[in-house]
C-alpha cells in the first residue's frame, strides 16, 4: 500500500502558465515533506520542503502548500518554463531522516 | 506499479565492519540502478550509477573502494559499505530504471545504516 501517492503520472502545461503538482499521503505521522525534481539519467534535485507546522512555503517560482487535514500537498510553479520539464517526486517523513517517496509526476512545459 | 525492495531496512554495525545492502526490482528488469545517500532534511545525493554487467559509475567525491557496487543481474544490485565508520551512518536509497523510458525510475524504501 503506497503511503505517498502522486495520482497524476503526467502533466502538460503551457509555458508561462501555472503548474500544479499534487501529492497525497496516508500516514498521519508524516510531518516533513520534500519535493524533488529529476531529469533523465540524473539524480533527483531538491526543490523545496515544508514542515507540518506550516501550510505554505515559497521559494522563487516554487510554492508548496500543505493541507494536513486532507493529507494533501501541492507544488505550484509560476510561471512555468520549458526547463521545468522533468519528473517531480514528493517525499514524506515522520522523523526528518527516513523518507517515503511518491511515484513521481512527469511535467512537460510546452513552449 | 513497479516495485523496488531494499534489504535490510535497518542495520546497525560496529565501526570497521562491512555491510551489504541489496536492491531488487521485484516485477521488472532494471538495466540501470542508482544508489543515493540521504542526509537529514537535505536532498538525495547520487552516489553511483549501476549498470548490469558492467562497472558502476561513481559520482565525484564518492570513494569507489569504500562503497562497492555490484549489479550482477537485471533484478539485483548490491551496495557494500566497507570498513564502515560512524560518518557513514546515513539513509541509503536505491532506485531502478526500467530502460523503456528515461523517466520511469522507481525508488526503494531505503536502508538506515547506523555505525557505532
Amino acid at each position: 500500500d503506497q503511503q505517498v501517492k502522486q495520482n497524476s503520472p503526467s502533466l502538460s502545461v503551457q509555458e508561462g502558465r501555472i503548474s500544479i503538482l499534487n501529492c497525497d499521503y496516508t500516514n498521519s505521522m508524516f510531518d516533513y515533506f520534500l519535493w524533488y525534481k529529476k531529469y533523465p539519467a540524473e539524480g533527483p534535485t531538491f526543490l523545496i520542503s515544508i514542515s507540518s507546522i506550516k501550510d505554505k512555503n515559497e521559494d522563487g517560482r516554487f510554492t508548496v502548500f500543505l493541507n494536513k487535514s486532507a493529507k494533501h500537498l501541492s507544488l505550484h510553479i509560476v510561471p512555468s518554463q520549458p526547463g521545468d520539464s522533468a519528473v517531480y517526486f514528493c517525499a514524506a517523513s515522520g522523523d526528518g531522516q527516513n523518507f517515503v517517496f511518491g511515484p513521481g509526476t512527469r511535467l512537460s512545459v510546452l513552449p | 506499479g513497479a516495485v523496488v525492495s531494499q534489504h535490510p531496512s535497518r542495520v546497525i554495525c560496529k565501526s570497521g565492519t562491512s555491510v551489504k545492502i541489496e536492491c531488487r526490482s521485484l516485477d521488472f528488469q532494471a538495466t540501470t540502478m542508482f544508489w543515493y545517500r540521504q542526509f537529514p532534511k537535505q536532498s538525495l545525493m547520487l552516489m553511483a550509477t549501476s549498470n548490469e554487467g558492467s562497472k558502476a559509475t561513481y559520482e565525484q567525491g564518492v570513494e569507489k573502494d569504500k562503497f562497492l557496487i555490484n549489479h550482477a543481474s537485471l533484478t539485483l544490485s548490491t551496495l557494500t559499505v566497507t570498513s564502515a565508520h560512524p560518518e557513514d551512518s546515513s539513509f541509503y536509497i536505491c532506485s531502478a530504471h526500467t530502460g523503456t523510458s528515461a523517466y520511469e525510475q522507481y525508488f526503494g524504501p531505503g536502508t538506515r545504516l547506523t555505525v557505532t
Side-chain angles (χ1 to χ4, degrees):
Chain A
D1 182 38
Q2 281 186 322
Q3 294 188 74
V4 178
K5 302 175 185 178
Q6 292 176 257
N7 291 323
S8 297
S10 63
L11 174 69
S12 292
V13 171
Q14 209 67 35
E15 181 179 8
R17 298 289 184 98
I18 183 172
S19 295
I20 301 176
L21 298 113
N22 293 304
C23 179
D24 298 284
Y25 60 97
T26 57
N27 190 338
S28 59
M29 298 302 292
F30 289 148
D31 60 3
Y32 194 76
F33 306 89
L34 301 169
W35 281 95
Y36 290 94
K37 171 184 179 180
K38 189 183 181 306
Y39 294 114
E42 294 184 15
T45 303
F46 170 72
L47 272 177
I48 193 168
S49 65
I50 190 167
S51 71
S52 59
I53 62 173
K54 292 185 173 184
D55 54 18
K56 177 183 175 181
N57 188 24
E58 189 173 2
D59 184 2
R61 296 187 296 116
F62 301 94
T63 303
V64 56
F65 295 92
L66 175 62
N67 183 333
K68 290 186 288 293
S69 61
K71 295 190 180 68
H72 175 83
L73 64 156
S74 61
L75 174 68
H76 293 213
I77 306 172
V78 181
S80 301
Q81 299 173 353
D84 296 329
S85 297
V87 177
Y88 290 79
F89 295 94
C90 74
S93 172
D95 59 7
Q97 296 199 20
N98 297 302
F99 286 86
V100 179
F101 288 83
T105 295
R106 176 178 175 177
L107 173 66
S108 298
V109 179
L110 309 173
Chain B
V3 178
V4 175
S5 71
Q6 278 183 243
H7 177 79
S9 58
R10 291 179 181 271
V11 57
I12 301 172
C13 71
K14 292 187 176 181
S15 186
T17 62
S18 295
V19 174
K20 180 185 286 188
I21 302 170
E22 293 185 348
C23 177
R24 292 182 185 272
S25 56
L26 297 184
D27 53 0
F28 66 98
Q29 293 184 328
T31 56
T32 305
M33 288 183 171
F34 300 91
W35 285 97
Y36 301 91
R37 185 170 175 176
Q38 169 85 52
F39 293 96
K41 297 192 176 184
Q42 294 183 33
S43 62
L44 288 174
M45 181 192 80
L46 178 65
M47 298 174 67
T49 302
S50 168
N51 295 296
E52 187 266 338
S54 63
K55 290 184 179 180
T57 303
Y58 289 82
E59 295 299 301
Q60 191 174 10
V62 178
E63 298 176 61
K64 60 180 66 177
D65 293 331
K66 180 167 186 63
F67 298 99
L68 300 178
I69 291 173
N70 183 22
H71 194 157
S73 75
L74 285 171
T75 59
L76 173 65
S77 176
T78 60
L79 167 68
T80 301
V81 182
T82 62
S83 187
H85 291 284
E87 57 265 31
D88 298 325
S89 298
S90 192
F91 191 54
Y92 293 89
I93 303 172
C94 73
S95 69
H97 179 236
T98 65
T100 58
S101 167
Y103 290 98
E104 290 184 7
Q105 189 171 129
Y106 303 93
F107 286 94
T111 296
R112 165 64 58 186
L113 170 63
T114 303
V115 184
T116 60

